[in-house]
Amino acid sequence: MATVEVLPAVSVDEKPKRYYIFESEEVHKYLLPADEEERVRLDEQSLGIIQAFDNKLIWAPITLKEGDAVLDSGTGSGHWLLSLAKELEAQKIPSIRLLGSDITPRMFPPPSLIPHNASFSTDSITELPASWSGTISLIHQRLLFLALQEPQWKTALSEMYRVLTPGGCIQLFELNYRGFDSPNEALKTHKAFQFRNRLGEVRKVVVDIVDHLEGWIKEAGFVDGSEGDQ
């Protein structure tokens, strides 16, 4: 026989407060909440993406070595960077410098989880520290298509180019909506796509970012860029 559990009522005042990051009183810089609940969600999302990509963390054509530095731009909870730290330790090259940056420190991992060769800083990808010029071997960035407008993307790519060492690489993971193109009118008008398009209009961001990145990357000075289908 099925049982029904009746939970006590919770008033609105008792609900945990969500924290958001603002550029000003009118504009969100970070679309989603920036608090512990969001940090947990980001960890789970990152783990799911890593598993979907066969647990492979680095797809760029680079082999990290002693003395290299890796930047995780828009690091959020730092899950990808901490996963890389564990992998490098297992490979017995734990001296590689690992940097995580984001516009807010609210979701950075607690100090007890940060290895000795990793650090986190509050920086924007559109204005990285001057001291980083020519020092980064690999930049990883994931899912910022709703955070950056076109001019900001171009500035960010120029900043990436500036801080990379000669021969350094970037790997950018963004949603590719080409696979969702369909002549089916029901799919074209699905609420999810209507919401995506409306969100892009309101935030003035480029939702079909994959169609533009290759050109912008070349404009920034990068060469030998390739676009993955996975």
Side-chain angles (χ1 to χ4, degrees), residues 9-215:
V10 178
S11 70
V12 173
D13 292 338
E14 293 174 353
K15 291 183 179 179
K17 185 177 180 180
R18 306 306 304 276
Y19 291 90
Y20 292 81
I21 304 302
F22 293 87
E23 180 179 18
S24 66
E25 292 184 357
E26 296 83 18
V27 182
H28 275 290
K29 287 188 74 174
Y30 190 77
L31 176 64
L32 298 171
D35 52 23
E36 178 62 21
E37 184 176 338
E38 175 66 2
R39 189 171 70 84
V40 172
R41 187 196 69 81
L42 286 175
D43 278 348
E44 294 174 348
Q45 173 183 273
S46 177
L47 178 60
I49 293 174
I50 291 172
Q51 291 175 340
F53 280 81
D54 300 323
N55 293 307
K56 184 176 179 180
L57 297 173
I58 297 178
W59 289 81
I62 187 173
T63 300
L64 296 176
K65 60 186 184 304
E66 298 284 348
D68 282 344
V70 176
L71 170 63
D72 185 20
S73 168
T75 189
S77 65
H79 182 272
W80 181 88
L81 198 69
L82 297 182
S83 299
L84 180 61
K86 292 178 182 178
E87 184 174 284
L88 294 174
E89 184 175 10
Q91 296 173 359
K92 301 190 183 304
I93 45 174
S95 63
I96 291 175
R97 192 160 56 107
L98 304 177
L99 307 170
S101 68
D102 212 320
I103 60 172
T104 172
R106 276 192 175 276
M107 292 175 293
F108 289 169
S112 60
L113 296 181
I114 301 176
H116 69 90
N117 60 325
S119 61
F120 292 83
S121 63
T122 306
D123 294 294
S124 170
I125 187 58
T126 60
E127 191 176 359
L128 296 173
S131 60
W132 288 4
S133 294
T135 64
I136 309 296
S137 303
L138 171 67
I139 299 175
H140 169 268
Q141 182 175 282
R142 189 166 61 191
L143 299 180
L144 288 190
F145 73 106
L146 288 179
L148 301 176
Q149 298 172 355
E150 179 176 340
Q152 295 169 324
W153 268 109
K154 293 183 176 181
T155 300
L157 290 167
S158 294
E159 283 291 275
M160 292 182 195
Y161 188 84
R162 174 179 66 81
V163 302
L164 280 177
T165 60
C169 295
I170 60 173
Q171 62 174 33
L172 309 178
F173 287 76
E174 296 294 340
L175 286 176
N176 185 353
Y177 284 102
R178 294 173 188 163
F180 295 101
D181 290 340
S182 171
N184 188 309
E185 195 63 28
L187 288 178
K188 287 182 179 180
T189 58
H190 191 280
K191 287 183 179 180
F193 291 96
Q194 291 179 343
F195 176 75
R196 178 206 68 175
N197 294 336
R198 179 57 181 158
L199 193 59
E201 292 172 3
V202 171
R203 293 181 60 81
K204 298 181 175 61
V205 296
V206 185
V207 292
D208 56 343
I209 189 65
V210 172
D211 293 335
H212 303 272
L213 271 180
E214 184 177 1

